[in-house]
Amino acid sequence: IALALRLLLAEVFPWRMLRKQKNAKLSAPTKSFKGKTILITGANGAFGSRAAKMIADLGVERLILADVRDCTGVKEQIEAETTATNKPDIQVWHVDMMSYQSCQEFAKKARALKSLDGVLLAAGILSFKRQESPEGWETC
């Protein structure tokens, strides 16, 4: 019973995974993103905006910042601070993950890209509150 309880609790609250992440030895990426198109959802958040700044400094050709809130401030900050020799083409896209129509429009824009070489899905990464969209989609 104790093992079953621990396994059940691990599903509800993944404390082992969180502990491993907390104690992880992380290093900043050094791989060049030259000529690549990278899309980041949740680009206004702490994780997304920081990752966008790091990727911009690694020579990405096109950086797409997507969020429910306007990412123009993040874009301007990256343009002012980037140390890359070639400034990336930074695009700001709106996406509301609580709206099915917004997600469809977002997907249509993504499909229209010539290439999409990497995606960082940081939208809602720290959202622990269960919500339901007007269409009935669950957020977490």
Side-chain angles (χ1 to χ4, degrees), residues 34-125:
K34 185 175 181 175
K36 306 285 186 191
T37 297
I38 306 294
L39 182 142
I40 300 174
T41 65
N44 254 332
F47 295 119
S49 62
R50 182 68 186 127
K53 292 172 188 174
M54 292 171 71
I55 290 170
D57 281 335
L58 294 172
V60 69
E61 182 177 323
R62 180 179 297 119
L63 183 59
I64 302 167
L65 308 175
D67 202 296
V68 68
R69 296 173 291 152
D70 183 22
C71 295
T72 304
V74 176
K75 174 186 175 180
E76 291 169 351
Q77 190 175 20
I78 292 170
E79 290 172 338
E81 295 176 2
T82 188
T83 59
T85 53
N86 293 329
K87 301 285 184 183
D89 169 28
I90 302 174
Q91 298 178 12
V92 174
W93 291 6
H94 178 267
V95 61
D96 181 359
M97 297 293 190
M98 291 295 287
S99 163
Y100 184 71
Q101 181 180 354
S102 178
C103 290
Q104 284 183 316
E105 291 168 6
F106 179 75
K108 186 176 180 180
K109 281 174 125 178
R111 280 192 302 269
L113 292 170
K114 181 181 174 187
S115 70
L116 184 57
D117 303 297
V119 177
L120 174 62
L121 303 173
I125 200 166

